[in-house]
Amino acid sequence: MFIFFHQLPLPQMFVAVLLVSLTVCWLIIGAVRTVVRLAGFGPTEMLPIRDSIIGACTTIFALIVAFSAAGIWNDGLNARNTVQREADALQNASVLAAGLPAEVRTAIRADIRAYVTSVMTIDWPEMAKGGTLEDPVFGQSENILVTMIEFLSRQPTSLDQQPIFSALLNQILTARNARIARLAASNSGITWAQWIAMFIISTSALTAIAICNTHSLRMQVTATHLYVLVASAAYFVILAHDRPFIGSISIKPLAFQGLIAD
């Protein structure tokens, strides 16, 4: 969702969010002043709208922002742990392969390097574009892991009895599970229901501010623009952290880089 905003550099992202918010703000100001005039109220007449409505709306908006921010913070933390777990499993597999016959060791380490290269050159750019778990482009890295598992399953029974063999297979299976978790995490973030709720609540609060200050255009513009600045900052923070693998502060494949040289 909002992939275009997620991919913007942080300064441009904030400016874009602020411009959208200001556009909504002036539409609300124009609509409120038009409705007030059509309702027969004077331009300097205070409307019978209680300020408590503003407090209620802003409190609810703050709560849903906090709820959403906590969710995306946990999503980002889980995504980083998943990436590290995948890289650690591959590194462990590469180390464990040293105890196997030369032919098996060479094949396993070559497949690990091919997998890491595929992850860095194919998976990561596609995740940065918002690719889904079902996207066929992610199949290449999956096929490499499946090939490794099939290769190990065809080894002689005498090799199967070695403890190091079972440990190696478990690490490859761990990397495969972590890979699925990584791709799933790349599509985590704020849902449409949360975005819609935040928009409705924030625009309701902005409308209440515009109505309560309609008796003074200067105060109306000042109050609404202050609220827009605060709300834009909240939306900006959420957008910047919403998708763990998209944007300027996204997770980078640093954990995999050292594995290519192994």
Side-chain angles (χ1 to χ4, degrees):
M1 304 174 188
F2 307 113
I3 297 299
F4 170 75
F5 286 97
H6 290 127
Q7 293 174 334
L8 290 174
L10 295 182
Q12 287 89 325
M13 181 189 294
F14 181 75
V15 171
V17 172
L18 185 60
L19 289 176
V20 171
S21 300
L22 287 173
T23 301
V24 173
C25 175
W26 278 103
L27 288 174
I28 289 176
I29 291 175
V32 167
R33 298 194 73 82
T34 300
V35 171
V36 167
R37 185 176 66 254
L38 294 177
F41 291 97
T44 59
E45 183 179 354
M46 296 189 66
L47 301 182
I49 302 294
R50 302 180 69 88
D51 293 343
S52 58
I53 297 177
I54 301 175
C57 291
T58 52
T59 300
I60 296 174
F61 179 64
L63 288 174
I64 193 171
V65 167
F67 172 78
S68 302
I72 60 178
W73 176 264
N74 289 331
D75 289 341
L77 184 60
N78 291 333
R80 292 181 187 278
N81 291 337
T82 298
V83 169
Q84 191 61 53
R85 185 169 72 251
E86 183 181 4
D88 288 345
L90 293 171
Q91 186 173 33
N92 293 338
S94 180
V95 172
L96 289 170
L100 298 178
E103 180 183 354
V104 178
R105 178 176 66 249
T106 301
I108 290 298
R109 287 183 170 176
D111 284 341
I112 290 175
R113 285 193 294 271
Y115 175 79
V116 172
T117 302
S118 176
V119 167
M120 295 180 62
T121 60
I122 297 178
D123 286 12
W124 233 268
E126 191 64 26
M127 289 190 300
K129 292 189 247 181
T132 62
L133 181 61
E134 298 78 15
D135 198 318
V137 73
F138 294 119
Q140 179 170 332
S141 57
E142 169 70 5
N143 291 337
I144 297 174
L145 290 178
V146 171
T147 299
M148 277 195 283
I149 296 172
E150 291 178 345
F151 173 75
L152 291 174
S153 67
R154 293 195 301 267
Q155 297 308 306
T157 306
S158 58
L159 188 60
D160 291 351
Q161 303 305 318
Q162 297 185 20
I164 194 172
F165 180 88
S166 298
L168 172 60
L169 184 58
N170 286 335
Q171 290 301 317
I172 295 175
L173 292 174
T174 298
R176 189 183 183 193
N177 291 333
R179 170 192 170 275
I180 296 175
R182 166 172 56 81
L183 295 179
S186 68
N187 289 288
S188 64
I190 304 299
T191 65
W192 275 111
Q194 289 173 286
W195 283 119
I196 292 172
M198 283 190 290
F199 177 77
I200 291 175
I201 296 170
S202 60
T203 52
S204 297
L206 185 60
T207 302
I209 293 172
I211 293 174
C212 290
N213 293 279
T214 191
H215 60 282
S216 172
L217 178 60
R218 181 179 299 175
M219 284 301 300
Q220 187 181 48
V221 171
T222 301
T224 53
H225 281 60
L226 284 174
Y227 179 82
V228 162
L229 183 61
V230 173
S232 297
Y235 279 117
F236 165 70
V237 171
I238 291 176
L239 276 172
H241 295 85
D242 184 30
R243 302 294 287 271
F245 295 97
I246 304 177
S248 301
I249 55 177
S250 62
I251 301 172
K252 303 298 188 291
L254 301 178
F256 292 92
Q257 291 179 351
L259 299 176
I260 298 180
D262 290 345

